Amino acid sequence: MRAFFSVITRSREVFFWILCAVLGAVFVASIFYFPLYAAIAEGIVFILLLAIFRAGVPPGPLAAEQRKEKSVGGTEFENIVESIEDTLVVYDTDLTVSLFNPAAEKLFGAKKSAIVGRKFSPEDAKDASLERFIQVLFPTLSPTMIPRSSAGAYPQVVDLAFQDPYLELRVITSPILDRRGETVGFVKVVRDRTHEVSLLKSKSEFIAIASHQLRTPITNIEWVLQSSLSSEGLDENTKQSLQNALISANQLKRTVEDLLHISKIEDGRFGYEFTETDIVAFLESVLEEAYPEARRIGISLYFERPKEPLPPTLIDSKKLGMAVANLIDNAIRYNTQNGKVVVEARKQEQDPYVEISIRDTGIGISHEDIQKIFTKFFRAENATRVKANGSGLGLYIVKNIVQSHGGRVWAESEEGRGSTFYFTIPTDSSLVPPIEAPVGH
Ligand code: ADP
């Protein structure tokens, strides 16, 4: 075929030049023998022909062939689709499948010939041989569906999990647009994450078991240190050593507990129990717990109550209490001598959220570090200088707890001048995620 087109190309070129020569001769002759208008018309035709040829827009099958040579041809495109390891399914807006690659055949155990050209509906899930494919086509039919992108936004990303056989899939759906920008179909890319998720699960299972095992001996050590400290007749040196050992045991226990919380959070089994709560009363109870520590180290802790009553919010007071206590604890620990911590709550004016802030007059966070403080194990250099103890896990837990309530957490700070941590909680219960999703899987 290619040889045929190249022969055509060459003969068309020869023909073009012969035509040019003839027209040129006629043009020259017309100047001498024909009236002026005929000469002008011929001149225009000649110039147009030359312009078309120079512009390099050869007409007919030649153009198609040349374009094909420059871009990836149909066969090459098919080869690419066939060799892609991820599952690829393309269907139009009336759910007729037009592409089903070999990876899709393998994953769904269905032949391309039985799928391509066929229109599908949720009803087809009744056919056992098609069930898995239909559940991917209509993810709400899957036994477990976790949305990973916001509703209505493309690409739509959902994680699906199946039992018997166990399968973890990530499905990414994007629209196919025509030249006018109208949706003419959809492409689904399906990634089999079964192995990856199994590895992550066994890692977090290991952390969960190890943390459990460590908790009991640490509690015993704490208990022995506490009772030794209360014995009489201890000299100052021994007392100080026991005190230091107790602080370290406390720190170790907190880190182990944080690791246990993280493994549960990442597995999606932290077990949230939401109840409608008066957020002001809730904050008061968390602050009540923090006052003694603030007083002990000379930090003034205040609660600025909102001027207007706040709407009730759907929260898990135990889990959110843990997050707020962590933020207040940080504000106290990373403060300066005789520093101040102010907790405030207010209703956001435009959006259906309550915003809570924890402001301190402490060491602050540099612009560079503020991007990293919500990641696991991160501790800023200025913080490690003033407080050697710390796991860098607290804010990661705070972020996940707040997000599981449908809120957002962020910080503003200036190094050396204090920090303010903010988080939001929706006042509209439909904004609270309905199910607890695994994180980082
Ligand atoms: P930890 O306090 O155990 O180090 P966190 O996850 O609670 O762990 O905090 C992570 C890091 O964020 C801290 O080590 C510190 O660098 C920074 N940070 C958090 N809160 C504050 C604060 N109020 N002021 C200054 N730095 C803070």
Side-chain angles (χ1 to χ4, degrees), residues 330 333-334 360 365 373 378-380 383 390-392 394-395 419 421:
N330 281 350
R333 284 194 307 134
Y334 298 119
D360 67 58
I365 308 159
I373 54 171
F378 180 80
R379 301 200 72 214
S391 63
L395 290 183
S419 318
F421 281 76

Side-chain angles (χ1 to χ4, degrees), residues 91-108:
Y91 51 97
D92 61 24
T93 43
D94 79 347
L95 295 153
T96 305
V97 175
S98 55
L99 193 150
F100 196 77
N101 74 344
E105 288 187 317
K106 198 167 151 211
L107 180 68
F108 300 120

Side-chain angles (χ1 to χ4, degrees), residues 155-229:
Q156 275 285 306
V157 184
V158 287
D159 284 343
L160 308 179
F162 305 92
Q163 301 299 333
D164 266 346
Y166 173 60
L167 205 57
E168 292 275 354
L169 303 179
R170 175 156 294 172
V171 183
I172 303 160
T173 311
S174 306
I176 301 169
L177 307 177
D178 66 7
R179 277 193 199 156
R180 284 167 297 157
E182 275 168 26
T183 304
V184 288
F186 295 91
V187 54
K188 269 191 198 295
V189 179
V190 187
R191 266 187 54 215
D192 186 351
R193 303 167 62 243
T194 314
H195 181 62
E196 196 183 312
V197 173
S198 304
L199 285 179
L200 286 165
K201 277 192 174 158
S202 53
K203 184 199 83 179
S204 70
E205 251 170 49
F206 168 75
I207 294 175
I209 293 167
S211 319
H212 260 299
Q213 299 290 340
L214 285 169
R215 241 181 2 178
T216 320
I218 296 170
T219 310
N220 288 344
I221 293 169
E222 261 186 341
W223 186 80
V224 171
L225 289 170
Q226 261 157 0
S227 55
S228 306
L229 260 170

Side-chain angles (χ1 to χ4, degrees), residues 251 258 326-327 329-335 358 360 362-365 369 372-375 377-384 387 389-398 413 418-421:
Q251 171 63 29
D258 281 350
N326 202 307
L327 293 172
D329 185 49
N330 281 350
I332 295 172
R333 284 194 307 134
Y334 298 119
N335 222 312
I358 296 103
D360 67 58
I363 58 169
I365 308 159
D369 289 342
K372 307 176 196 155
I373 54 171
F374 292 98
T375 55
F377 298 111
F378 180 80
R379 301 200 72 214
E381 208 242 307
N382 65 339
T384 50
K387 290 274 173 264
N389 291 335
S391 63
L393 295 172
L395 290 183
Y396 177 76
I397 296 174
V398 169
S413 183
S419 318
T420 307
F421 281 76

